[in-house]
Amino acid sequence: MTEQLQQARDDLEEAAKSADSDDVREDIRETTDAFADYVTSDTQPDHAILDQRLNTLRQVRERADGTTKDKVESAIETTEDYRETLEQA
């Protein structure tokens, strides 16, 4: 499962590199850092935490364009797929 979050993190790193705006880049990096923590820790994020991260990414997607938008979209799709594998509390 963590492979999916790692893939989303990789997509977000690429998105941050291509971002035109500091605000967009900052929001992407915040989520990238959180995903890095999930990948390296033994704790899984729950639905609520992932929902918050996904909401941030959806807002970023609306402000982004080009490669940044494509990579954020890919990260959103991968994260949504991962979220479906989690048990709900």
Side-chain angles (χ1 to χ4, degrees), residues 10-87:
D10 292 347
D11 285 338
L12 292 173
E13 283 182 345
E14 291 299 316
K17 290 177 187 175
S18 64
D20 293 335
S21 156
D22 287 340
D23 290 340
V24 169
R25 192 175 300 109
E26 185 176 317
D27 285 346
I28 292 170
R29 289 216 169 111
E30 181 181 309
T31 304
T32 303
D33 291 345
F35 284 7
D37 290 343
Y38 303 149
V39 168
T40 59
S41 82
D42 293 333
T43 306
Q44 283 188 332
D46 62 23
H47 278 260
I49 291 171
L50 282 180
D51 282 344
Q52 290 173 343
R53 298 295 176 195
L54 284 165
N55 283 337
T56 298
L57 292 177
R58 288 180 187 114
Q59 291 171 6
V60 166
R61 178 181 58 194
E62 296 304 314
R63 299 186 332 248
D65 57 13
T67 300
T68 303
K69 187 172 188 169
D70 293 344
K71 289 296 183 178
V72 169
E73 180 64 36
S74 178
I76 289 169
E77 290 174 8
T78 303
T79 304
E80 286 173 339
D81 289 346
Y82 172 76
R83 186 178 164 276
E84 290 177 12
T85 68
L86 298 178
E87 291 184 32

